[in-house]
Amino acid sequence: MIKRVLTTCPYCGVGCGFYLDVRDGKIVGVIPSHSNSVSKGYLCVKGWHAHEPVQHPDRLKKPLIKQNGKFKEASWDTALDYVAKRLKEIKDKYGPDALAVCASARCTNEENFLMMKFARAVLGTNNIDHCARTCHSATVSGLNQSFGSGASTNSYDELPLMDCILIIGSNPTEAHPIVGWRVRTAIDNGAKIIVCDPRRILPAENADIFIQHYPGTDIPLVNAMINYIVKENLHDKEFIKDRTEGFDKLWEVVKDYSPESVEGVSGVKASLIKEAAKLYATSLRSCIMYSLGITEHIVGTDNVMAMANLAMVCGHVAKEFSGLYPMRGQNNVQGACDMGALPNVYSGYQPVTDEAARKKFETAWGVKLPSFAGLTLTDMMLKAIEGSLKCFYIIGEDQLRTDPDTHMIERALDSLEFLVIQEIFLSETAKKADVVLPGASFAEKEGTFTCAERRFQRVRPAIEPISGKTDADIIAELSRRLGYDMESGPKKVCDEMASLTPLFAGVSFERLEENGLQWPVPTKDHPGTPVVHLGKFIRGLGKFVPVKHKPPAEVPDKDYPFILSTGRILFHYNTGTMTRRVANLFREYPRNFIQINSDDAQRLGIKKREKVRVETRRGKLEVLAEVTNKIKPGVLWMPFHFSNEPTNVLTNSAFDPVCKIGEYKACAAKIEKIK
Ligand code: SF4
C-alpha cells in the first residue's frame, strides 16, 4: 500500500511541488504534482531524486560529542544538557553578544521563526543571520532602497507571456531549471531573449542577443543601456514623473556612460549594447531576471540598484508582465529572510531598532529584547577571529564549503570556544564542531517554505524524523533547558508568526493547503499578491539611486593574470552534500573542474580533461580542465559543489560594504599545467 504525501522540493528557490511515495515507512519515489502552480507537473533532475539523500546510510542518527578530538555518540538528553550548559556558561561569562546563531535556508519558515526567537528571546542577542548573506543580501538591501521591498516583484506565471526577458548574471537552465522551462515557453510564444553573462551559458544558445561581458562590469553595461535609452528618447517619461524620484541625479551619472565609452571595460561592442537596450525598452512586456552573477560582488547592492534603475527608466516594473525576478538560490532562503533570521529585523522586515515593533515582540514573548542590530554572518567570522565571538550555533549550513576564502573561515571556526552544528550529514563544518545535533530533512517535518515568487507553500512529513527529532523539536528542547518554554508545533508557530507580522497576517496552514499564497497577505481574507508595487511602490515613489562602476576587489595582474568566476551546474546543488549522495547525479559530475578558453589552454599547453593547478592569493587546487570557447580569453570558471576539491579555498572574501556579501564572482587567479 503506497501513501502519497504532497510536499515542496528541498533544493532550489523555484519551489516545485511533488508527492513523496511512501511504502512500509520508506520513501520509494517522487511524483510531480500537476496541480502545483509553480511547477505544473514538471521537475528537474534534482527534484526527481529529492528523496534519495533522505534515507542515505550516511544520515546522522545520533548526537555526537567531541572528546579528545574524536566524536562519540551520545543520547539526546546528554547532548542537549551539555549544549545548554555550555551556551549558558559562555553567555554568563562574556555576555549574550559573544554567541551567534546561523539559521538555515534549508529549514522551514516555522523553524526559522523559532531560530530567531531562540537567538533573541533565549540567548538575548540579535546575532542571527543565514546564507542569504552570501547569495541575495544584495537584493534585500538594493531593492529595499529602490522600491521599499527586497523581493521578486512579479510571478512565474507571467514569464511565458513576456515579450522580452533580459537574463543577466543568471543561468536558469542549470540553477533554476523549472523557471528555465518557463523561459523556454516564452521563447516558443515569441518572446525575445537577451542574455548578458561572462559565459556562453545554455540560455545564450536561444537568445536573440547575447552579451558576453567581463565579470564585474555589470554597472557599466547597464548604465550604458540607460544612457542609450534616454538619449534615444525611449524612456517612459510619464512613469518617471508619476512614480519615481531622483531621475535627474541618475542622469548626472549615467550621462557619462555612453555605450562607446564602456566597450573597453566591459569587452562588449557599443552596437550590441544599443541593440539590447532598444529591445528591452521598446518591448511592451519586458522583465529582468538576475541572480548571483549580479549579487555576489563587492558592488552587489549597486548592481541590484542598477537593475532597478533600468526597469524604472523604461516603466517596466510595478505592473503585470514586467518587473524584476531575483532568482533565489536555496529552497527557503526567501522564507528565512522573511522570518527575521537576519541581524536587523524581526519577521516581516520589522526593524529591531523600531521601538514599537520591539515592544510588540517583547510583550508577546515576555522578555526584554536587545535594541541594536546584531552581527552579519560576514562579521561573525571576523569577530570570531578577533576573539570577541566565542560560540556559534549553526543549523543546516556548511560554511567551510559555502563561504568565500575557506582558510579564513577555518581560522574563524577554530577560534571559537564552542561550536554546535545541527545537520543531516557530517559536513566539513560539522567535523569542526564540539557537538553535532542530527537534524531532520524536509521529508520528516511539517511547515512551509517560501519560494522566489514570494509564495508560501506547505511542506509535509512523509516519514518520522530519522534522528527522532525535527529541528523545531531540538530548538524548543534547548530553549526549555535554558529556562524558556517555547511552543514548537509548526501550525501554532505559523499562527504566532502571523499574529506578530503584518506582512503575513493572513497566512495560516489552512489557507496554504491548495496552492499556497504570495505575500503580502495582510488579512485573513486577502487573496495574496502576485504583483507588488501596483499603483504605488512600497516605499511610495520608486527611487533612482545612481551607481558608478567600481572594479572587483582583485583584478588580474602579472602574477595572477586571469579573472576567476564561480557558479552552479544542473546536476549538483550548493555544496553537493545531498546531490553527491544521489548516484544518478554523482555519475554525471563526480569531480570538480575548471573552464578555460581554448586559446588560453593552447598557449599554456593545457589539454582537455588534463589536471591543472589553479591558484589565487588565498589557496590552490588541482582540478580537471574543461577547454571551451564558452568563456572569453582571460576568464576562468568553476562550480563549487565538491567538498574534496573545494573551490572556495580560491575565492575572495572581500565584501560589499552595505550588505556584506562576498565577492565569489571575480578574483585574480593563475592556472598552470601540472608537469
Ligand atoms: Fe527542485 Fe528547483 Fe528542480 Fe524545481 S527546479 S525540481 S525546485 S531543484
Side-chain angles (χ1 to χ4, degrees), residues 380-396:
M380 288 172 194
M381 295 300 174
L382 299 176
K383 294 288 177 196
I385 293 172
E386 261 175 51
S388 57
L389 189 81
K390 305 287 184 187
C391 169
F392 211 165
Y393 175 17
I394 298 174
I395 303 167

Side-chain angles (χ1 to χ4, degrees), residues 12 14 46 171-177 291 328-329 568-570 573:
C12 83
V14 173
K46 294 186 286 289
N171 184 357
T173 314
E174 299 210 53
H176 303 98
S291 192
R328 294 288 192 148
R568 296 169 189 230
I569 57 175
L570 172 65
Y573 187 73

Side-chain angles (χ1 to χ4, degrees), residues 156 158-168 170 172 179-196 203 206-209 225 276 279-280 283 285-290 316 321-323 325 327:
Y156 301 148
E158 293 158 65
L159 284 171
L161 300 170
M162 294 287 178
D163 296 319
C164 173
I165 303 177
L166 167 59
I167 302 170
I168 179 164
S170 180
V179 161
W181 157 67
R182 298 283 188 111
V183 172
R184 183 69 242 183
T185 313
I187 296 171
D188 292 344
N189 291 341
K192 302 285 184 201
I193 305 294
I194 305 165
V195 171
C196 308
N206 298 309
D208 297 275
I209 298 173
M225 288 174 74
L279 180 57
Y280 172 76
S283 298
R285 298 170 160 191
S286 274
C287 71
I288 299 173
M289 180 178 291
Y290 74 85
H316 287 330
F321 305 107
S322 68
Y325 290 81
M327 289 313 304

Side-chain angles (χ1 to χ4, degrees), residues 9 11-12 14-16 43-44 46-47 176-178:
C9 182
Y11 284 117
C12 83
V14 173
C16 298
L43 296 175
C44 81
K46 294 186 286 289
H176 303 98
I178 295 306

